[in-house]
Amino acid sequence: NEAIPLVVGNTMYVTSPYGAIHALDATTGAMKWTFRLPDNDQPSKRGVAYWPGGDGAPPSIIFGGLSGGMYSIKASDGTLNAGFGASGVVDLKTPEVMQTGMNLAYSLLTAPTIYKNLIITGAGTGEGPGGSAGGAGPSGDTRAFDARTGRLVSFTSRVMLKYSAWVSTCEM
């Protein structure tokens, strides 16, 4: 687990390789709450993001699961934000990013980036012809979601270049 703790005020938020997010008192280490991911899912291995809330939505902890879900839980008590996506979870495995197959693995390898009321994320992609899954998997395109609702507000597709075309235009 490469989790990076996040401290906001006097609360430390950490991911666990055992399928949970924990909130601890940053001074004493006492457990405040634990959120267990459903269906044996595991949180992203490199931490969580904090959104301070707004327009009636509470401050939230945002993170991805290895199954392809992006979760929003209340920073105060670790319960799912019902108004975010489908009962607190947005399915990131959509056809436009899963171009090589919907049944392939998808994960957010790092915490999403928060900018104002946007959650900005990419995806863990396949690692080329000889690598993990032979280059198959999510496209890694950048997407932005509304932090209150989980609605997709921006999608930036990568430019598709063939390796040979790229090599022929590079100057060494």
Side-chain angles (χ1 to χ4, degrees), residues 86-150:
S87 301
V89 183
V90 169
D91 183 4
L92 297 174
K93 290 180 75 169
T94 57
E96 68 273 6
V97 296
M98 298 302 294
Q99 297 170 10
T100 58
M102 291 295 290
N103 61 338
L104 295 167
Y106 182 109
S107 64
L108 287 178
L109 298 178
T110 189
T113 296
I114 306 294
Y115 175 73
K116 297 185 179 182
N117 291 325
L118 294 175
I119 302 166
I120 303 167
T121 184
T125 60
E127 296 181 357
S132 172
S139 63
D141 295 330
T142 302
R143 295 186 281 178
F145 298 86
D146 183 298
R148 292 176 296 271
T149 65

Side-chain angles (χ1 to χ4, degrees), residues 6 18 26 39 54 76 112 148 155 172:
L6 174 68
Y18 304 107
D39 303 321
S76 61
R148 292 176 296 271
F155 175 77
M172 302 256 174

